[in-house]
Amino acid sequence: MNWEVLDLSILGPALLAGLVVVSTHVPLGQQVLARGIIFVDLAVAQMAGLGVIVAATIDGETGGFVVQVSAAGAALVAALILNWLQDRRPEVQEAQIGVMFVLAASASILVLAGNPHAGDHLKDLLVGQILWVLPATLMPGALVSAAVLALWFMLGRRGGNLWFYGLLAVTVTVSVQLVGVYLVFATLIVPGLTTRRLAGVRRLIWGYAIGTFGYAGGLVVSTLSDLPTGAVIVWTLALTGMAAGLILRRAAQPHGM
């Protein structure tokens, strides 16, 4: 096994990108689980991705201002629709979230139908390119995530549904371009699912630990094995969550059992 391939000049920015995503997705993911809207992040992420694809197709760039505005606009439209549906059709909200996801995914395929690099674009949208994150891309994302964190911990769930969906849309707009749709979903759900029986600061600490170890481990394993980084991190997040769940269950058992 060649440990020399672990180049910190590449893995360092990638890990920082992962930590930026983890910082916001752990608390927001706990709220997603509490609301019982597990797939809302997939729908919003796919809408943000659709915005990126449409703008990049029209504008010809993949990271310009127009692309960012388009991605944020699409995600915010999705958030407004989901908020409206929650108020008026709560009994079928999960089904409507699923419909939004599949429509956005299908629209992305249609927009890219005439593009010879469509497969690469869709792969980047789904599994991301975290290993090639540039500081110029990372810094704006980190600033936006810091602002979202500050707003969330100041008001949290007291801001209401529209507040939550708005923050989620802004967060997902940043994270889907850094790590892809699959990792957005995994980072929101796995730490929250593992720590669902905890509360308060302890739940946050465990959630952040799972996210950090998942990303760090995934980057190392993918580099050493030369496997796709995003897909490997999804698996290491899941395995880290399972291991943490076993530790938490054992710690919760009465002594002597």
Side-chain angles (χ1 to χ4, degrees), residues 45 61 113 118 144 222 232 243:
E61 297 184 14
V144 171
S222 69
V232 171

Side-chain angles (χ1 to χ4, degrees), residues 149-164:
L149 270 179
L151 291 171
W152 176 254
F153 285 115
M154 280 193 296
L155 284 181
R157 68 188 67 186
R158 292 175 297 167
N161 291 336
L162 188 58
W163 170 261
F164 167 71

Side-chain angles (χ1 to χ4, degrees), residues 198 202 206 243-257:
L198 303 179
R202 188 163 178 252
W206 273 94
L246 289 174
I247 293 171
L248 289 170
R249 280 196 293 274
R250 286 194 175 187
Q253 291 178 351
H255 294 294
M257 290 185 66

Side-chain angles (χ1 to χ4, degrees), residues 158-178:
R158 292 175 297 167
N161 291 336
L162 188 58
W163 170 261
F164 167 71
Y165 281 120
L167 288 182
L168 183 65
V170 172
T171 302
V172 166
T173 299
V174 171
S175 58
V176 77
Q177 295 177 76
L178 289 176

Side-chain angles (χ1 to χ4, degrees), residues 201-223:
V201 175
R202 188 163 178 252
R203 188 179 187 190
L204 279 175
I205 291 173
W206 273 94
Y208 282 132
I210 291 166
T212 300
F213 279 105
Y215 272 86
L219 286 168
V220 171
V221 170
S222 69
T223 303

